[in-house]
Amino acid sequence: MKVIIVGGVAGGATAAARIRRLDETAEILVFERSGYVSYANCGLPYYIGGIIRDRKELTLQTPESFRARFNVDVRVHHEVTAIHPQNQTVTVRDLESGRVFEETYDRLLLSPGARPVVPELPGRELDGIFSLRTVEDTFRIREYVDQHRPSSAVLVGGGYIGLEMAENLTELGIAVTVVQRPRQVMSPLDYDMACQVHSLLRRHGVSLRLGSSVTGFASSGGKLQVLLRDEEPVSGDMVLLAVGVAPDTDLARNAGLRLGLKGSIAVNERMETSQPGIYAVGDAVEVTHSVTGQKALISLAGPANRQGRIAADNICGGHSVYPGSQGSSVLRLFEMTIATTGINEKAAQAAGLDYDRVLLSSASHARYYPGARNMTIKVLFEKASGRILGAQILGGDGADKRIDVLATAIRAGMTADDLTELDLAYAPPYSSAKDPVNMAGYVIQNVLTGKVRQFHWDQVDTLPRDGSVTLLDVRTPREFEAGHMDGFINIPLDSLRERLGEIPLDKPVYVTCQVGLRSYIACRILSQHGYDCQSLSGGYGFWAAVTQERCVSQAAPFPCGMEKS
């Protein structure tokens, strides 16, 4: 059997190694148009920032090591320019010599990945404007930084690559501005969670231009100008375009393979394309989202590796299936860990799911043990069943651990009840006796069973201030004096029972505290005394973080709706 693999990195390289382990006699050829067949894609920004110092550390396998260990013929700087399914051949161009030739195959695996979206805008060809996708791109950017010593940079795009580059360039002492057309960075996050990331970036000196559309580029006074629609341009010594990626599927399209979402390659659960004998994996393929069952594009290394293994099994006569992706990801940004899994609110709404969400602030480990840091955890769940749909976590140590537990729970179809029953490891340096994942289950249980009714940060401004409801803040007087929401009165939780007479029994009560725990306790007290009570999910702290960020972007002097004494 002769197998040709188009493209290396995660999917193609994994498939090549797996095929060899399953079939010692197969002839395996890998054609890779770049100079590197297997490299640490996610490590590229850290080489530019100097955290990874040796460029050799970026290379996981070379053509020589692949040949030695797996007896795989890897040809870099070779581009497959056409597929001829009827003849089972491909046309290949040697990019160094210019020679064009054809190769036959018995099985063909496409792993072309995705290409950076490079807007066709005026001035795009100017020196000092880069995109980052390959090792060669990385070396060009690093060389430019070393030679020109830029003092400022403009990053167009606020996704994974854009934010990793923002951190690394900032650590090099370069003033960074991030320009983003959406009004938030990190699209897997909901807006309310992204607001904390905005605040973090600004604390580290990163300027944000959110909701801004780039119309072109120019050069003026030795600086690059990023031109914006209806706004003043942003200038910098260098520009990085990180506006996203698109499936690289020209080969598949020209070969007549069936395409899917946004021009991606359509495959079945065995990673087979519409053409017999041709498989496809990685960032170029359409997948099924394991939470919604809808088609999706998920460009992550983990899914690409798994797909490469599954395709290899089936190429070698097996029957492996890919159950879908749920988009679990994690990013370190300065001192914050940003972690997501499953779907966010926008995706839940698009899928027509009847969902709700909870917010909680939990310590990374026992509070009495030194070094505990709070994590903000947001969990989406299905109202009818309690099934966990998605989670987002912002924090420090331990955030990655909790997102992995929640990712496993989502994959297993677990409900809130199941989260409460998880038997998770505990010791003071690592967790609490009630792990944050257990706590998320308890909070959802309370909502589903009616033990507490909740309202959310985006409903605060809609609450009447005409006396028809009671707005109650149960924090301490000192906390209340430091800042509170308009119209709320202060009765500390510990004196609530003695002061019930100050709260009219015939009016709904909306309660807040700092993070949501004390307001929950207050609502349990009030509801058992006959009050109609709701608790603010996430508390004043979360509301203030979101509204403050919203007002910063509007140049307001302090958080909207906040009163200061």
Side-chain angles (χ1 to χ4, degrees), residues 266 281 468 551:
V281 300
S468 60
C551 288

Side-chain angles (χ1 to χ4, degrees), residues 166-459:
E167 176 187 19
N168 279 278
L169 293 179
T170 297
E171 296 292 350
L172 291 176
I174 298 172
V176 173
T177 299
V178 175
V179 179
Q180 170 89 336
R181 183 166 60 184
R183 295 192 176 275
Q184 70 167 82
V185 300
M186 289 293 292
S187 60
L189 293 176
D190 288 317
Y191 170 77
D192 51 12
M193 296 290 279
C195 283
Q196 297 188 48
V197 181
H198 300 165
S199 178
L200 171 77
L201 288 165
R202 290 191 170 101
R203 287 201 305 273
H204 284 271
V206 177
S207 297
L208 299 179
R209 299 290 292 269
L210 305 175
S212 298
S213 297
V214 176
T215 59
F217 308 93
S219 181
S220 176
K223 294 275 190 179
L224 290 166
Q225 300 284 324
V226 179
L227 308 178
L228 306 177
R229 180 175 291 115
D230 301 326
E231 297 182 66
E232 290 296 314
V234 180
S235 64
D237 296 317
M238 62 180 293
V239 173
L240 177 71
L241 302 179
V243 296
V245 295
D248 191 352
T249 56
D250 288 346
L251 263 180
R253 179 182 295 104
N254 294 336
L257 302 185
R258 186 167 62 86
L259 302 181
L261 187 66
K262 296 182 180 179
S264 58
I265 304 172
V267 294
N268 62 17
E269 62 182 7
R270 289 168 47 86
M271 308 313 298
E272 296 170 318
T273 71
S274 59
Q275 190 66 233
I278 301 180
Y279 298 75
V281 300
D283 294 355
V285 306
E286 174 187 77
V287 298
T288 298
H289 200 291
S290 57
V291 175
T292 66
Q294 297 179 342
K295 297 300 182 182
L297 294 179
I298 298 178
S299 299
L300 294 169
N305 274 287
R306 291 191 292 277
Q307 292 162 14
R309 180 183 177 91
I310 287 165
D313 287 351
N314 294 321
I315 285 171
C316 293
H319 185 73
S320 293
V321 298
Y322 187 66
S325 302
Q326 66 190 58
S328 301
S329 66
V330 65
L331 171 71
R332 190 202 70 182
L333 185 63
F334 298 107
E335 70 273 13
M336 180 183 283
T337 297
I338 304 167
T340 68
T341 188
I343 59 174
N344 58 18
E345 289 199 60
K346 183 178 179 180
Q349 292 162 9
L353 294 171
D354 187 18
Y355 75 95
D356 200 351
R357 74 271 197 192
V358 295
L359 282 154
L360 57 154
S361 180
S362 294
S364 55
H365 58 252
R367 292 188 184 277
Y368 59 81
Y369 189 89
R373 287 182 55 192
N374 275 354
M375 294 181 289
T376 301
I377 303 175
K378 181 175 184 176
V379 182
L380 275 62
F381 60 95
E382 195 171 44
K383 287 183 180 179
S385 65
R387 177 172 67 106
I388 307 303
L389 302 174
Q392 302 160 45
I393 303 180
L394 306 176
D397 292 343
D400 56 336
K401 166 185 172 180
R402 273 55 183 230
I403 208 70
D404 283 343
V405 174
L406 288 164
T408 304
I410 291 171
R411 174 64 66 173
M414 288 185 176
T415 66
D417 290 344
D418 296 321
L419 294 188
T420 68
E421 297 299 329
L422 289 177
D423 193 349
L424 302 174
Y426 160 63
Y430 299 105
S431 184
S432 301
K434 295 180 190 175
D435 188 87
V437 173
N438 299 132
M439 289 302 302
Y442 294 140
V443 175
I444 297 171
Q445 267 189 344
N446 288 336
V447 172
L448 290 175
T449 57
K451 291 183 175 63
V452 67
R453 293 164 58 211
Q454 57 179 0
F455 65 107
H456 298 281
W457 70 269
D458 53 356
Q459 298 171 301

